Amino acid sequence: MAFRLSNNLVGILNFITFLLSIPILGAGIWLSREGVTECERFLDKPVIVIGVFLMLVSLAGLIGACCRVTWLLWLYLVVMFLLIVLGIVFTIFAFAVTNKGAGEALSGKGYKEYRLGDYSNWLQKRVTSQKNWNKIKSCLADSKVCTDFRDKYLNASASEFYQTHLSAVQSGCCKPSNDCQFTYVGPTNWTRGSAESNNSDCNLWNNNLNTLCFDCQSCKAGFIDNLRSSWKKVAIVNIVFLIFLIIVYSVGCCAFRNNRRDNYYEQQTWKP
């Protein structure tokens, strides 16, 4: 019996997914062997798991649809259903934990400042734990975010610097808080004044490029704000991905029904 359209479509989609899984798996293996920074090594295992998972699922769908292996196609549909459920849960969760928090606008300044308490407790706990923060600090150092920040605004006067638009990480990690009332010398070079502040970050600031405000609450808040923006974008992309998964799942259900019907007809044909 000729293959139906749904079986062919599932086969094509999963063949494309299988091809995409190869470079993903290759990238993970490359990171595990060639990664020199903690950030790169942190990514290798998740990338390898994603690559292997996509490869196995796509093979199950490809063989199940094209070779009419009903149990394999059934397993594929179960995994797809679980993926859809997990995707919906993740999307709702992502919007929930990123709904709270925003930068504080400062009078006469082009940049904002960030307070740790403004963000969701779940994100605060994950980011501020010493183990996680040490890894995050290592990643920030590897990215040279503050080194590039210093080089970019090295020749800026105080009035020019105060009007610049800084990212959340630059504002929180690469300069002292406005509460400290330090005197501007350079983007990462500030002189302490005589004014006292209740902000504990003021005592943590150091002009050393390896220290700056990386241990400050404002740096953690700036990172969370950046993470919050990224998660919102991922959640929006995830909605599009969910729509695609639901379409593939629906087509897969048709292919599964076709397989069962074909198997039934074959059994009836071979009966004596």
Side-chain angles (χ1 to χ4, degrees):
M1 186 178 291
F3 285 146
R4 291 176 172 81
L5 178 62
S6 56
N7 293 66
N8 290 333
L9 190 55
V10 170
I12 292 169
L13 290 172
N14 281 283
F15 180 70
I16 294 171
T17 305
F18 176 78
L19 293 179
L20 289 174
S21 70
I22 295 173
I24 294 173
L25 182 59
I29 295 171
W30 181 87
L31 282 174
S32 66
R33 293 183 176 179
E34 304 295 332
V36 292
T37 67
E38 189 168 353
C39 289
E40 291 173 338
R41 291 194 298 272
F42 177 74
L43 288 173
D44 62 353
K45 289 183 177 62
V47 171
I48 289 173
V49 169
I50 291 171
V52 171
F53 177 76
L54 286 176
M55 185 173 287
L56 293 176
V57 172
S58 60
L59 279 174
L62 182 63
I63 297 171
C66 295
C67 299
R68 292 191 300 170
V69 182
T70 305
W71 70 267
L72 204 53
L73 192 56
W74 178 86
L75 181 64
Y76 168 78
L77 290 174
V78 170
V79 173
M80 290 291 287
F81 178 77
L82 292 175
L83 273 179
I84 291 169
V85 172
L86 288 173
I88 292 171
V89 171
F90 170 78
T91 303
I92 294 171
F93 177 76
F95 278 116
V97 298
T98 59
N99 191 46
K100 185 181 177 184
E104 177 187 346
L106 301 174
S107 177
K109 302 290 194 299
Y111 50 79
K112 296 179 179 181
E113 291 205 334
Y114 302 86
R115 313 286 179 186
L116 191 59
D118 292 340
Y119 298 92
S120 74
N121 291 330
W122 189 88
L123 282 176
Q124 286 186 51
K125 288 177 182 177
R126 297 304 177 278
V127 170
T128 58
S129 72
Q130 198 59 45
K131 181 181 178 182
N132 290 341
W133 185 245
N134 286 337
K135 290 181 180 179
I136 293 168
K137 278 198 302 182
S138 174
C139 291
L140 291 174
D142 291 338
S143 68
K144 298 183 179 179
V145 61
C146 289
T147 303
D148 294 340
F149 162 80
R150 180 201 60 180
D151 294 342
K152 183 176 181 179
Y153 300 109
L154 188 60
N155 298 319
S157 63
S159 58
E160 290 173 337
F161 179 81
Y162 290 140
Q163 296 305 313
T164 55
H165 297 281
L166 306 178
S167 69
V169 172
Q170 288 175 334
S171 178
C173 305
C174 306
K175 67 167 192 60
S177 170
N178 193 59
D179 296 342
C180 304
Q181 297 181 32
F182 290 172
T183 302
Y184 174 85
V185 179
T188 57
N189 188 5
W190 298 74
T191 303
R192 295 177 182 271
S194 56
E196 293 186 4
S197 172
N198 293 326
N199 192 330
S200 60
D201 286 352
C202 299
N203 296 323
L204 296 173
W205 170 263
N206 191 303
N207 287 331
N208 187 309
L209 265 178
N210 295 320
T211 307
L212 298 179
C213 218
F214 285 127
D215 286 316
C216 298
Q217 299 297 299
S218 63
C219 186
K220 295 170 185 176
F223 178 81
I224 289 176
D225 191 84
N226 187 70
L227 188 65
R228 171 178 166 269
S229 300
S230 299
W231 269 41
K232 278 196 170 182
K233 292 175 184 175
V234 170
I236 292 170
V237 172
N238 199 53
I239 291 172
V240 178
F241 181 63
L242 277 172
I243 294 171
F244 172 76
L245 279 182
I246 291 170
I247 293 172
V248 174
Y249 179 77
S250 301
V251 176
C253 287
C254 293
F256 179 72
R257 185 180 60 191
N258 291 341
N259 280 8
R260 292 189 64 181
R261 185 181 299 163
D262 291 347
N263 290 337
Y264 174 78
Y265 286 150
E266 286 181 359
Q267 289 173 5
Q268 294 299 315
T269 302
W270 285 99
K271 277 185 178 181

